[in-house]
């Protein structure tokens, strides 16, 4: 039987489930298994759910727990610059084609080389599909900071992946379009 | 869509389309089980239930008791079967020395039980007994009891070196070779030290705990004395005096250094055990988070930086330090007493914290950033100087 706490938790969690799992997949690459990170985070979040006073802060609460788990695992495992040195393979459970899997691995490896804030912003925006406003809440940073992180992150990522350099206007344009969608 | 590898959006699109590895039903199921104390992992299930842990402890304890009973039975049998040989040596009465009360003199050990051996006699075996009690030294001295290899070895080395007195001063002697080929760990009154194959005490028996060599660093072994940690090296020398509450692994924060904690404050020791960064910081972050050779430090709720040589490049005076290159290349936004400014990559304060707000460079005009001071807006230029309009 579901408790009131479970129902309340699921009401907040269910809408962001897909985005959250995608975030975990990208963030956990080379550190621990995605499923472990998802489970660990949810169990922690659920166990301390009463402490979350403002339901608005749920996103920030959930993603901070996931980031902390990653940070602690890296610390414990003494992995500092790890992912590009090892060849981690995405599990077969994802039913991806070989080509897609290798492309995603390339992306995850490249993301691992970015500074944490930029990497997180990019994953949240490009892979999980959160808005800049939501990312600024998750990262507890200003909207302009998030935009800068996205811009610089994309530039660095293009360099690492060997894609033609993105013009900064492109990102700003995208951000403006998204801002209009979300706030106007 | 553009051809693969030409646009990073291609990679993001693929990542967005990847199937979700954990379904929402799995999460619901997990929460339902979590509510009754089960911690579910996809592959193996570990159970956190209090009762089950208690019962596991009970099972383990019972098993340990059964094993120990069996072992002690075995021991009794072996003692019963051991041959009692006639005493071949003259055994002098045990000389009792009073316990030394001076704590500073911990070595050589007190309460030494000495068996004087007549050197003229051809000795085959010097009787040495484990767990010897002063009352029954005489009884035990004439009996050969199955002994641990280490004691036999010690006995052998003593004989080789023609030691006249074989000191029975240790409660326990481990096997040689566990820590170092020619060393064996010895215990007395719950303190540990090392002896070498000649029976000489190479590390005094003063430590509460000695870890294996090379766990933290090559040729170093962690030691604990009175609740504080330090290091001894492979020659037995105390290279780091036990004075730290905690020592992290070498290489965790810095390639050649180990993080140490003393009375709640952190610092670093280098590879020869010298304190290169004094234990004065409340927190030290990882190197490379902000700049490749810098680590952020926190002291009295204020942040600063130290570099890879341990030098304080930015004194901890800031309430907040942003990442470099966010507002201006090679600059990082800093906040002190709710006022904003900038520091550069050399740690120099290029813009003294005096502004209530600072916008990004180039948002209004290239090379300029809008700032707010005393309720008025103005601009600062690329070198941080206020622009007169």
């Amino acid at each position: 039987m579901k408790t009131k706490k479970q129902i309340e938790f699921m009401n907040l969690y269910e809408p962001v489930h897909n985005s959250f799992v995608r975030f975990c997949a990208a963030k956990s690459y080379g550190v621990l298994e995605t499923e472990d990170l998802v489970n660990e985070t949810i169990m922690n979040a659920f166990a301390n759910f009463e402490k979350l006073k403002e339901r608005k802060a749920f996103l920030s609460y959930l993603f901070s727990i996931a980031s902390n788990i990653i940070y602690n695992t890296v610390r414990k495992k003494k992995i500092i610059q790890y992912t590009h040195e090892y060849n981690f393979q995405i599990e077969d459970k994802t039913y991806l084609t070989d080509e897609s899997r290798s492309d995603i691995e390339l992306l995850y490896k490249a993301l691992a080389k970015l500074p944490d804030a930029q990497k997180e912003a990019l994953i949240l925006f490009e892979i999980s599909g959160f808005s800049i406003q939501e990312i600024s809440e998750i990262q507890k940073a200003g909207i302009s900071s998030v935009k800068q992180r996205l811009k610089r992150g994309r530039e660095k990522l293009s360099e690492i992946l060997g894609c033609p350099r993105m013009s900064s206007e492109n990102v700003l344009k995208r951000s403006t379009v998204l801002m209009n969608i979300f706030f106007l | 869509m553009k051809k693969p590898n030409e646009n990073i959006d291609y990679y993001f699109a693929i990542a967005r389309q990847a199937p979700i590895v954990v379904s929402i039903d799995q999460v619901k199921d997990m929460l339902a089980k979590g509510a009754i104390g089960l911690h579910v992992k996809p592959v193996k299930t570990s159970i956190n239930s209090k009762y089950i842990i208690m019962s596991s402890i009970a099972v383990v304890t019972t098993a340990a008791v059964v094993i120990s009973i069996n072992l002690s039975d075995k021991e009794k049998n072996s003692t019963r079967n051991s041959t009692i040989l006639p005493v071949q040596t003259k055994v002098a009465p045990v000389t009792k020395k009073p316990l030394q009360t001076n704590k500073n003199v911990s070595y050589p050990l007190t309460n030494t039980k000495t068996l004087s051996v007549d050197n003229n006699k051809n000795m085959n075996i010097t009787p040495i007994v484990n767990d010897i009690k002063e009352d029954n030294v005489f009884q035990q001295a004439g009996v050969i009891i199955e002994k641990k290899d280490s004691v036999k070895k010690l006995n052998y080395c003593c004989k080789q070196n023609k030691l006249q007195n074989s000191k029975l001063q240790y409660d326990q002697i481990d096997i040689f070779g566990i820590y170092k080929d020619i060393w064996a760990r010895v215990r007395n009154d719950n303190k540990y030290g090392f002896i070498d194959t000649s029976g000489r005490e190479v590390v005094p028996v003063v430590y509460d705990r000695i870890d294996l060599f090379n766990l933290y660093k090559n040729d170093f072994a962690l030691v604990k004395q009175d609740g504080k940690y330090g290091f001894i090296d492979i020659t037995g020398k105390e290279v780091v005096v036990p004075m730290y509450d905690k020592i992290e692994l070498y290489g965790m924060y810095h390639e050649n250094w180990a993080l140490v904690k003393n009375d709640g404050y952190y610092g670093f020791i280098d590879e020869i055990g010298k304190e290169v960064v004094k234990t004065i910081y409340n927190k030290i972050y990882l190197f490379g988070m902000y700049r490749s050779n810098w680590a952020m430090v926190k002291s009295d709720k204020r942040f600063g930086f130290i570099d890879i040589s341990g030098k304080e490049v930015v004194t901890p005076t800031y309430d907040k330090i942003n990442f470099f290159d966010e507002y201006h290349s090679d600059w990082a936004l800093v906040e002190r007493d709710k006022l904003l400014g900038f520091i550069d990559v050399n740690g120099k304060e290029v813009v003294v914290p005096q502004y209530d707000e600072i916008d990004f460079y180039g948002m209004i005009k290239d090379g300029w950033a809008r700032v707010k001071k005393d309720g008025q807006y103005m601009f600062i230029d690329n070198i941080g100087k206020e622009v007169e309009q």
Side-chain angles (χ1 to χ4, degrees):
Chain A
M1 205 181 89
K2 280 184 184 177
T3 60
K4 192 186 164 194
K5 184 181 166 187
Q6 268 173 270
I7 296 166
E8 211 176 327
F9 183 85
M10 282 313 289
N11 284 344
L12 290 170
Y13 175 75
E14 206 163 349
V16 293
H17 171 71
N18 286 2
S19 306
F20 175 66
V21 176
R22 291 213 163 97
F23 170 82
C24 287
K27 189 95 179 167
S28 66
Y29 180 74
V31 183
L32 74 171
E33 282 183 22
T34 309
E35 292 172 46
D36 282 349
L37 179 61
V38 172
N39 289 355
E40 199 83 33
T41 310
I42 291 173
M43 291 313 290
N44 274 344
F46 183 67
N48 299 309
F49 191 52
E50 294 90 353
K51 291 178 192 166
L52 182 71
K53 285 171 191 163
E54 290 223 8
R55 294 294 182 249
K56 276 182 196 170
F58 181 74
L59 273 183
S60 164
Y61 168 71
L62 189 72
F63 285 84
S64 309
I65 292 174
S67 298
N68 284 341
I69 291 171
I70 291 281
Y71 178 74
N72 286 335
T73 316
V74 170
R75 253 193 70 194
K76 277 180 201 161
K77 284 187 176 177
K78 208 179 139 187
I79 321 170
I80 294 168
Q81 290 178 336
Y82 42 90
T83 349
H84 53 280
E85 289 167 12
Y86 299 95
N87 273 324
F88 279 91
Q89 287 190 338
I90 297 172
E91 291 170 274
D92 286 328
K93 288 175 198 169
T94 48
Y95 311 111
L96 290 162
T97 61
D98 285 347
E99 201 183 330
S100 306
R101 194 183 298 126
S102 66
D103 282 340
I104 294 179
E105 274 173 11
L106 264 180
L107 174 69
Y108 288 172
K109 270 185 204 171
L111 279 169
K113 291 178 189 172
L114 298 182
D116 267 357
Q118 289 177 11
K119 180 174 86 175
E120 199 174 280
L122 269 180
I123 295 172
L124 290 169
F125 186 72
E126 300 285 1
I127 301 176
S128 296
F130 284 108
S131 69
I132 290 182
Q133 172 71 29
E134 283 167 330
I135 297 169
S136 81
E137 278 166 23
I138 291 169
Q139 294 199 321
K140 295 182 187 113
I143 286 177
S144 46
S145 300
V146 175
K147 275 198 246 174
Q148 279 291 322
R149 280 171 195 171
L150 288 173
K151 179 184 162 237
R152 289 183 200 283
R154 279 179 71 92
E155 280 172 2
K156 277 188 194 170
L157 203 66
S158 305
E159 271 175 33
I160 297 166
L161 287 169
C163 302
R165 199 179 166 84
M166 296 287 301
S167 70
S168 54
E169 283 171 22
N170 205 349
V171 178
L172 283 175
K173 212 182 281 172
R174 281 166 59 96
S175 306
T176 322
V177 170
L178 281 158
M179 290 284 286
N180 290 339
I181 294 168
F182 288 114
F183 300 112
L184 298 178
Chain B
M1 188 192 284
K2 282 188 178 183
K3 259 173 34 182
N5 306 330
E6 282 195 4
N7 192 337
I8 57 169
D9 284 329
Y10 162 79
Y11 292 99
F12 287 132
I14 292 278
R16 274 196 299 271
Q17 286 159 15
I20 305 291
V21 288
V22 182
S23 71
I24 191 75
D25 291 334
Q26 274 175 288
V27 175
K28 283 177 187 168
D29 189 41
M30 190 168 65
L31 284 186
K33 284 175 181 168
I36 56 163
L38 284 170
H39 183 61
V40 183
K41 280 194 167 187
V43 184
K44 52 183 178 183
T45 307
S46 61
I47 295 162
N48 279 341
S49 170
K50 207 176 175 181
Y51 303 104
I52 293 172
I53 287 172
M54 290 303 286
S55 58
S56 318
I57 291 169
V59 169
V60 171
T61 319
T62 319
V65 168
V66 169
I67 290 165
S68 71
I69 288 169
N70 287 341
L71 280 178
S72 59
D73 281 341
K74 204 176 166 186
E75 230 174 67
K76 275 180 204 164
N77 291 334
S78 66
T79 315
R80 211 174 291 140
N81 296 334
S82 61
T83 328
I84 298 179
L85 298 176
V87 180
Q88 294 177 344
T89 58
K90 284 180 186 174
V91 180
V94 173
T95 51
K96 283 188 184 177
K97 289 180 184 172
L99 275 167
Q100 284 183 20
T101 46
N102 187 356
K103 282 182 182 173
N104 294 330
V105 186
S106 50
Y107 176 75
L109 286 168
T110 58
N111 198 15
T112 309
K113 310 165 198 68
T114 312
L115 292 177
S116 299
V117 176
D118 190 350
N119 206 29
N120 297 326
K121 296 274 178 184
N122 183 21
M123 267 188 55
N124 290 329
I125 299 159
T126 309
I128 295 178
V129 184
N130 283 332
D131 299 329
I132 202 161
K133 284 181 185 170
E134 287 175 37
D135 301 335
N136 57 8
V137 172
F138 264 118
Q139 288 177 344
Q140 300 282 354
V143 181
I144 299 161
I145 290 181
E146 285 294 317
K147 298 183 291 291
K148 284 182 181 174
D149 286 349
S150 54
V151 182
K152 280 181 188 167
K153 266 191 186 174
L154 171 69
N155 194 6
Y156 178 69
C157 350
C158 294
K159 202 169 68 180
Q160 267 196 332
N161 286 304
K162 295 178 183 171
L163 290 180
Q164 291 201 354
N165 292 332
S166 171
K167 290 180 180 178
L168 301 176
Q169 58 187 35
Y170 302 116
D171 295 340
Q172 181 195 328
I173 304 174
D174 287 348
I175 297 168
F176 279 85
I178 295 178
Y179 285 78
K180 201 180 154 186
D181 286 346
I182 51 165
W183 284 9
R185 194 180 68 165
V186 291
R187 176 169 69 84
N188 213 356
D189 299 333
N190 286 327
K191 301 276 182 188
Y192 295 91
F194 284 111
I195 53 166
D196 63 8
T197 44
S198 67
R200 193 170 59 94
E201 218 170 64
V202 278
V203 174
V205 191
V206 293
Y207 298 114
D208 302 324
R209 174 183 147 191
I210 305 178
D211 278 3
L212 290 174
F213 280 97
N214 303 343
L215 276 181
Y216 276 71
K217 186 188 169 300
N218 284 347
D219 302 346
F220 275 20
L222 188 81
V223 291
K224 187 181 178 185
Q225 189 179 18
D226 301 330
K228 302 277 184 179
Y229 294 91
F231 282 117
I232 54 166
D233 70 2
I234 206 147
T235 62
K237 191 182 152 199
E238 202 173 66
V239 278
V240 176
V241 182
M243 56 182 283
Y244 298 112
D245 299 328
K246 194 178 175 186
I247 302 181
E248 294 276 4
L249 291 173
Y250 271 88
M252 205 169 191
Y253 282 75
H254 182 290
E255 200 181 348
N256 301 320
W257 295 353
L259 188 80
V260 289
K261 186 183 178 185
N262 195 4
D263 294 334
Y265 292 96
Y266 292 89
F268 281 112
I269 52 168
D270 68 2
E271 49 192 349
I272 56 165
K274 193 183 153 199
E275 199 174 270
V276 276
V277 175
K278 286 184 180 172
T279 47
I280 51 170
Y281 300 111
N282 298 115
K283 198 168 181 183
I284 301 181
Y285 295 81
L286 289 173
F287 274 91
M289 276 174 80
Y290 283 75
R291 277 202 72 204
S292 57
N293 290 334
W294 284 12
M296 189 186 251
V297 289
K298 188 179 175 186
S299 179
D300 295 333
K301 296 180 181 175
R302 300 282 175 115
F303 295 94
F305 286 108
I306 54 167
D307 69 4
I308 207 153
S309 66
K311 194 182 147 198
E312 205 171 67
V313 278
V314 176
T315 317
T317 55
Y318 301 109
D319 297 322
K320 196 178 169 187
I321 304 179
N322 273 30
F323 285 107
F324 280 92
D325 298 341
E326 276 192 342
Y327 282 73
H328 183 292
S329 64
D330 296 344
W331 286 10
L333 188 80
V334 290
E335 186 183 323
R336 182 165 54 210
D337 302 329
K338 295 184 179 176
L339 296 174
L340 303 171
F342 285 110
I343 55 166
D344 67 4
V345 284
N346 301 316
K348 195 183 154 198
E349 205 171 65
V350 279
V351 176
V352 181
Q354 52 180 311
Y355 301 110
D356 301 319
E357 279 177 28
I358 300 182
D359 286 343
F360 284 110
Y361 270 87
M363 275 189 94
I364 295 176
K365 191 183 171 188
D366 275 348
W368 286 14
R370 193 177 70 162
V371 294
K372 188 181 174 186
K373 187 178 174 184
D374 302 330
Q376 288 200 331
Y377 286 99
M378 58 183 92
F379 287 96
I380 53 170
D381 64 11
N382 227 351
I383 55 166
K385 207 177 153 191
E386 282 176 14
V387 182
E388 288 178 14
Q389 292 179 44

